Amino acid sequence: MFEHYSEILKDLKSHSHFRNIKDFTEKDAKYIYLKDKRLINLSSNNYLGFADNKKITEEFLNYTGDKFSLGSASARLLTGTLPVYKELEKLITTLFYKESALLFNSGYHANVGINSSIASKGDVIFSDKLNHASIIDGMRLSEAKFFRYPHNNMEALEKLLNRERKNFNNAIIVSESVFSMDGDIADIEKLVELKEKYNCLLILDEAHAFGVFGKTGLGVAETLGLTDKVDLIVGTFGKAIGSMGAFAAGNNIIINYLTNKARSFIFSTALPPINIAFSKWIIENKLPFTYEKRTKMLELGQKAGSQSHIIPLVIGDNKETVDTCDILFQNGYFTLPIRPPTVPEGTSRIRISLTVDINERELFDAISLAKSKK
Ligand SMILES: Cc1ncc(COP(=O)(O)O)c(C=O)c1O
């Protein structure tokens, strides 16, 4: 019976699709250590350097002492809640000027829970073709019909809405703001216009933008002054915030609904209190002082031809992408080959993600090394 799986693994290997977990020995905000080799980490979501940061960890632990435990031992709706969870929810609610917010254990949990429950039989979801796997998995679990419109193509979305909206009861449009593998940005103004014209709810996943974009770091909707127009904003604490967990912010009705219906929220042990406290502490005490650094990082991304701090170097072929990562590795840069099914077939790439500690010389050195390989 194991032969079946073994054959699949062989096939993955022969197509350069095989994935394995690396043996890192250490990490800090800028470098990653593999055996004796120190590499500049160009593959991290630790955009602001808050994770793997001894100084930050020490400062936080000095502040909290032993106040917060390391396990919640229960789901939120059972006994897995304490004031700090509600305080973080209140903080998110206030920052976004929403009525309410709900914590999830991760962005994956949030998207699966939301997209599987927000629409039922007779409803419809319109989702950008390049939305994250967690959104797709959520929709697949839902009983609603879903359509995936061509990436960032607002004309195609409107055509679809025009043709299909009338055939369903409730309708949802869901998009990322900064696309995780392409670094480009959704046309949020148009999404808002379309959701109003076609009477839909709009969900915006700001996973890669929360902590990075916007005057106070809330995301792209903040930059555009549109947070009030988005019905449900999703963000994660696992990337720029350097912690773990996620949130959804919206009105009281939708948050109460998710509290009662989102199965990934209901049926999973809550994150440890210390983790919730860390997210809250970072957002309150560190995020407000990042504006200049974040802006510089975004400018650097733009200089490299992206709309954000995520810079895709699309190579196409799986093996060539893996080989290019090897060349970068030999030259002191850690990057990862991103291959299908994470990205569409034939668009394998190196996804460079900047952190505030990467400088211009390092970025362009890595890019020219990758290009010379091509
Ligand atoms: C757009 C998007 N949403 C959600 C997630 C999942 O977030 P988390 O890592 O907190 O589970 C990711 C993770 O890569 C993502 O890129």
Side-chain angles (χ1 to χ4, degrees):
M1 180 161 158
F2 286 105
E3 259 168 41
H4 166 71
Y5 302 108
S6 174
E7 283 304 313
I8 291 174
L9 290 175
K10 252 193 239 160
D11 188 58
L12 286 175
K13 279 183 184 159
S14 72
H15 291 93
S16 298
H17 271 312
F18 189 75
R19 299 161 192 245
N20 64 331
I21 300 171
K22 311 273 180 307
D23 292 319
F24 299 126
T25 46
E26 214 186 316
K27 284 193 292 172
D28 55 38
K30 177 161 180 168
Y31 297 100
I32 197 152
Y33 300 80
L34 202 59
K35 296 187 183 111
D36 294 335
K37 213 167 159 68
R38 185 182 82 163
L39 301 146
I40 294 176
N41 190 352
L42 292 178
S43 272
S44 173
N45 295 325
N46 186 14
Y47 304 131
L48 302 178
F50 293 147
D52 301 316
N53 183 325
K54 281 199 178 103
K55 231 176 104 207
I56 295 264
T57 310
E58 243 175 60
E59 199 183 327
F60 171 69
L61 291 176
N62 281 339
Y63 158 78
T64 53
D66 59 3
K67 189 169 166 205
F68 297 104
S69 75
L70 305 181
S72 73
S74 197
R76 285 290 298 291
L77 290 173
L78 303 177
T79 57
T81 196
L82 282 168
V84 70
Y85 296 72
K86 293 221 167 161
E87 285 161 19
L88 180 55
E89 285 170 340
K90 179 87 181 96
L91 175 64
I92 294 293
T93 303
T94 310
L95 288 172
F96 282 92
Y97 289 95
K98 293 287 184 194
E99 288 176 9
S100 199
L102 185 67
L103 301 182
F104 286 84
N105 285 354
S106 69
Y108 189 89
H109 282 77
N111 282 334
V112 166
I114 292 164
N115 290 286
S116 60
S117 63
I118 198 123
S120 317
K121 213 174 169 85
D123 297 338
V124 63
I125 306 179
F126 299 95
S127 167
D128 189 287
K129 185 89 203 270
L130 295 191
N131 275 344
H132 190 254
S134 53
I135 295 175
I136 299 170
D137 291 357
M139 293 190 303
R140 283 184 178 151
L141 286 172
S142 155
E143 287 184 4
K145 170 99 180 154
F146 64 87
F147 295 97
R148 295 172 71 196
Y149 59 88
H151 176 51
N152 253 343
N153 186 333
M154 293 296 103
E155 254 176 52
L157 173 59
E158 177 145 28
K159 260 194 197 156
L160 201 53
L161 285 163
N162 209 353
R163 193 185 77 207
E164 297 291 344
R165 174 65 187 95
K166 57 185 177 296
N167 303 323
F168 296 92
N169 301 324
N170 296 317
I172 320 292
I173 300 173
V174 58
S175 178
E176 296 181 26
S177 60
V178 172
F179 283 87
S180 57
M181 293 300 143
D182 291 69
D184 57 346
I185 297 177
D187 185 347
I188 299 171
E189 272 155 345
K190 190 69 186 177
L191 287 172
V192 166
E193 185 192 313
L194 291 177
K195 83 117 195 167
E196 285 175 351
K197 183 168 171 189
Y198 291 92
N199 187 27
C200 306
L201 289 184
L202 176 60
I203 303 176
L204 192 63
D205 180 353
E206 297 258 29
H208 294 275
F210 180 60
V212 175
F213 277 80
K215 188 91 192 136
T216 64
L218 299 185
V220 183
E222 184 192 22
T223 310
L224 300 171
L226 290 172
T227 47
D228 61 326
K229 301 284 185 191
V230 180
D231 298 293
L232 198 64
I233 295 183
V234 177
T236 157
F237 304 125
K239 305 189 191 294
I241 302 304
S243 178
M244 176 78 199
F247 66 87
N251 69 15
N252 284 330
I253 294 175
I254 204 77
I255 296 300
N256 269 331
Y257 178 83
L258 292 174
T259 308
N260 282 275
K261 291 287 184 183
R263 293 167 69 87
S264 62
F265 170 79
I266 300 169
F267 296 108
S268 189
T269 299
L271 289 179
I274 194 158
N275 210 268
I276 304 293
F278 184 62
S279 301
K280 179 170 172 280
W281 182 79
I282 290 280
I283 293 168
E284 283 181 322
N285 297 285
K286 298 291 167 196
L287 188 58
F289 306 102
T290 56
Y291 183 73
E292 260 178 46
K293 279 186 170 182
R294 294 193 269 120
T295 306
K296 262 193 169 166
M297 176 175 73
L298 288 174
E299 283 168 2
L300 186 53
Q302 283 156 7
K303 212 166 177 178
S306 177
Q307 288 182 289
S308 71
H309 52 307
I310 296 169
I311 305 154
L313 303 179
V314 178
I315 291 169
D317 178 69
N318 293 343
K319 181 162 181 331
E320 229 179 285
T321 309
V322 174
D323 291 348
T324 308
C325 286
D326 279 344
I327 300 272
L328 286 167
F329 182 89
Q330 300 309 331
N331 285 276
Y333 295 103
F334 183 77
T335 56
L336 284 167
I338 311 285
R339 292 157 285 178
T342 309
V343 292
E345 203 66 53
T347 71
S348 285
R349 67 195 64 185
I350 293 172
R351 170 190 182 266
I352 292 184
S353 48
L354 294 177
T355 64
V356 291
D357 293 310
I358 307 293
N359 65 42
E360 187 167 339
R361 184 190 54 72
E362 291 158 346
L363 172 63
F364 284 97
D365 183 39
I367 291 177
S368 54
L369 275 166
K371 288 202 169 147
S372 66
K373 169 69 182 70
K374 273 212 285 176

